[in-house]
Amino acid sequence: MTGRLNAKTLACLPASLDRPAYDPGAHGAGIVHIGVGAFHRAHQAVYTDAALGAAGGDWRIDGIGLRSTEIADALNPQDGLFTLVERGVAGVTARVIGSIRRVIAAARDGEAPLAALTAPQTRIASLTVTEKAYGIDRARGAVDDRHPAIAADLADPRAPRGALGLLVEALRLRREKGLAPFTVLCCDNLPDNGGLVRAGVTDFAARVDPGLADWIRAHVAFPSTMVDRITPAPTEKTHAEAERLLGVSDMAAVEAEPFSQWVIEDRFSAGRPEWEKGGAIFVADVAPYEAMKLRMLNGSHSMMAYAGFLAGREYVRDVMADEALAHLVRRHLSAAAATLSPLEGIDTDDYALALMDRFANPAIAHEAYQIAMDGTEKLPQRILAPALHALRNGGDLRPFAFAVAAWMRYCIGRLDDGKTYRLRDPREAEIASALARAGGDSQAIAAALTGLPGLFPDELAASGAWTRLVGGILSSMLEKGVSQAVQEEARLSA
């Protein structure tokens, strides 16, 4: 069979292929999702597909692409259908997902996003846009006036283009029309993501209409979530694999590991899909699960991304194939676990072993360089928070110091062989300025980067034990090269 995946070709796919257990066209949309990237398609859309198959309901997803038109152009000709390619040790499988109804390209149709968000049937507005796209100053719990989207939307709040501006204007219109508010569900990999978005939305609203802000505080739910699934960026290989398995082309295919986790605070103001049918866990408090994931999975991910990339390891699986680096990953997981409070039903030793297996999955090509981006946004919760806990409680500081030293070495923007690369960090200009003032001395570099405003906790930055560890490890990386420094670090902690 030739052609492209869509509603017509769906029935002609191989009988062995996993496909929606429902008629997608028979279900309306109840969710509007901002940011229909690979992670959303491999995670929330999959849980929604399972919920529709098990319990039905008008819970399909209308997506919004804020800037790019690429996803809309890929998914809409396919009637929202796409393939999830799962790559595991046991082999490759494919599953067609039908939970997305359409994708709105805001760049082409500026009125359609608000129309979708204010539709009476919309009961959940969810987001996966990354922290920097929100324009929220986490330290102040307020919007950042310097953020381009925030500044533009505050200047013209009735014609918003950014995520927060869209949410606030949609809620204003719903209130004006007498419609019930939707639940705002952040699905980004951020600590207290519901609280963060609530703070941003209410602060933005207060600047537009204080009464609206009060109404949002009283009536709109912002549940926090914890999300987990390794999802590499789709490539031509992804599309080719999907076509081989389906027999038709799929321009929106995504790939992921078999493992997936979603922990959600069960606070919804207008109902929700039965996501638990797809394996989601509903709890009263996400924070302990969130801390476990951020410190163990994400923290070790960041460490291996910096050290692995600098040591010439392209993918996470390559890092795990290196005995010294794999040892340092195990060490980091153990140190991170020691900073956590006990969590009912969770054995952190088992969790660590599962993570090691997931990282080593030879079928997943997850680039270390991809994980390394946006370091200044990820470091505080992934590395610095557990480091501060270890400092206060007499724990092992060295694994966290090694991760920070690797980040600092990465910030230089040059491999040991002289090849340069972009940091892809929102504070890249600040980092470059700090490094220029520091010169080439490792202690000066460590001090300059530690001094970036608002990044390092004061107590950690003032600790002589911490700064000596970081400076010493960074000095070894600069003087001996990262690969040799990694080998020595592994021997030191064996």
Side-chain angles (χ1 to χ4, degrees):
M1 181 173 62
T2 60
R4 187 167 178 178
L5 178 64
N6 54 41
K8 290 182 179 179
T9 58
L10 181 62
C12 303
L13 298 181
S16 59
L17 190 72
D18 195 0
R19 69 194 75 204
Y22 58 97
D23 176 7
H27 295 265
I31 303 170
V32 173
H33 185 87
I34 302 173
V36 193
F39 184 77
H40 169 69
R41 303 201 304 280
H43 194 267
Q44 297 91 27
V46 177
Y47 283 92
T48 305
D49 186 76
L52 287 166
D58 290 331
W59 288 112
R60 291 187 78 200
I61 301 163
D62 281 350
I64 297 175
L66 291 177
R67 290 174 298 277
S68 173
T69 62
E70 182 179 349
I71 298 300
D73 291 341
L75 273 171
N76 290 341
Q78 298 182 179
D79 301 310
L81 299 170
F82 66 94
T83 312
L84 170 67
V85 177
E86 292 187 350
R87 298 184 184 277
V89 175
V92 179
T93 61
R95 170 181 172 185
V96 175
I97 306 298
S99 56
I100 295 178
R101 185 172 72 165
R102 60 170 178 154
V103 176
I104 297 164
R108 283 199 294 252
D109 189 348
E111 296 181 0
L114 278 176
L117 286 164
T118 56
Q121 63 268 27
T122 296
R123 287 161 283 168
I124 295 173
S126 54
L127 306 93
T128 309
V129 297
T130 74
E131 183 165 10
K132 60 186 174 184
Y134 289 105
I136 302 171
D137 183 335
R138 182 181 285 274
R140 295 189 301 114
V143 294
D144 183 352
D145 297 339
R146 299 165 299 176
H147 189 278
I150 295 294
D153 287 352
L154 284 174
D156 189 7
R158 299 296 174 89
R161 293 293 181 267
L164 292 191
L166 277 171
L167 292 175
V168 171
E169 177 60 6
L171 288 167
R172 185 192 72 79
L173 290 170
R174 293 184 78 93
R175 181 190 183 210
E176 184 180 86
K177 296 175 180 180
L179 296 172
F182 45 62
T183 296
V184 178
L185 185 68
C186 179
C187 301
D188 276 297
N189 182 26
L190 306 170
D192 187 26
N193 53 18
L196 177 73
V197 177
R198 184 179 191 272
V201 166
T202 53
D203 182 56
F204 188 105
R207 297 172 189 235
V208 176
D209 176 355
L212 174 62
D214 291 339
W215 181 81
I216 290 172
R217 292 187 188 99
H219 297 289
V220 180
F222 292 84
S224 286
T225 69
M226 188 270 272
V227 299
D228 185 8
R229 187 168 217 183
I230 296 172
T231 307
T235 65
E236 288 304 313
K237 182 180 178 182
T238 311
H239 297 150
E241 191 78 75
E243 184 167 359
R244 180 184 70 80
L245 294 166
L246 271 66
V248 294
S249 68
D250 178 359
M251 303 309 295
V254 291
E255 63 178 81
E257 64 171 336
F259 179 90
S260 183
Q261 188 175 46
W262 197 11
V263 182
I264 311 168
E265 285 182 355
D266 201 357
R267 295 190 294 110
F268 289 78
S269 54
R272 60 168 177 80
E274 294 189 31
W275 281 316
E276 59 268 41
K277 301 293 188 182
I281 301 169
F282 285 91
V283 298
D285 183 11
V286 169
Y289 297 86
E290 189 176 75
M292 179 185 71
K293 174 179 177 286
L294 284 166
R295 296 183 182 190
M296 293 185 70
L297 188 155
N298 298 126
S300 59
H301 235 187
S302 288
M303 182 279 287
M304 71 168 75
Y306 299 124
F309 172 74
L310 293 168
R313 306 296 181 261
E314 184 176 5
Y315 300 115
V316 169
R317 65 193 185 195
D318 300 330
V319 171
M320 298 305 294
D322 182 302
E323 185 176 347
L325 282 166
H327 173 80
L328 295 180
V329 173
R330 281 192 295 272
R331 181 185 73 166
H332 193 100
L333 288 168
S334 178
T339 71
L340 299 171
S341 300
L343 185 58
E344 185 177 354
I346 296 291
D347 183 317
T348 53
D349 289 339
D350 290 344
Y351 184 62
L353 289 173
L355 290 176
M356 293 288 290
D357 287 342
R358 291 171 62 194
F359 294 156
N361 184 348
I364 292 290
H366 201 178
E367 288 187 336
Y369 184 54
Q370 178 192 0
I371 300 166
M373 69 188 298
D374 297 333
T376 55
E377 292 182 343
K378 298 173 179 176
L379 214 64
Q381 61 269 22
R382 296 183 176 194
I383 305 295
L384 302 183
L388 184 59
H389 183 282
L391 177 68
R392 289 173 173 172
N393 294 276
D396 188 1
L397 280 174
R398 192 170 184 97
F400 306 113
F402 178 82
V404 168
W407 169 74
M408 289 179 171
R409 173 64 186 84
Y410 176 84
C411 284
I412 294 172
R414 184 184 66 255
L415 297 174
D416 287 335
D417 64 6
K419 182 180 177 181
T420 60
Y421 51 87
R422 287 189 60 242
L423 302 191
R424 302 183 300 172
D425 190 288
R427 301 181 68 174
E428 193 161 348
E430 284 183 76
I431 291 170
S433 178
L435 291 174
R437 293 192 301 271
D441 178 73
S442 59
Q443 295 295 335
I445 290 171
L449 293 176
T450 300
L452 288 172
L455 184 58
F456 283 76
D458 292 341
E459 186 178 345
L460 198 62
S463 166
W466 169 260
T467 55
R468 284 192 296 274
L469 275 175
V470 172
I473 296 169
L474 178 61
S475 176
S476 177
M477 290 179 174
L478 289 171
E479 292 173 8
K480 302 174 182 177
V482 175
S483 292
Q484 185 175 339
V486 163
Q487 296 293 325
E488 292 185 0
E489 185 71 18
R491 285 196 295 270
L492 180 67
S493 60

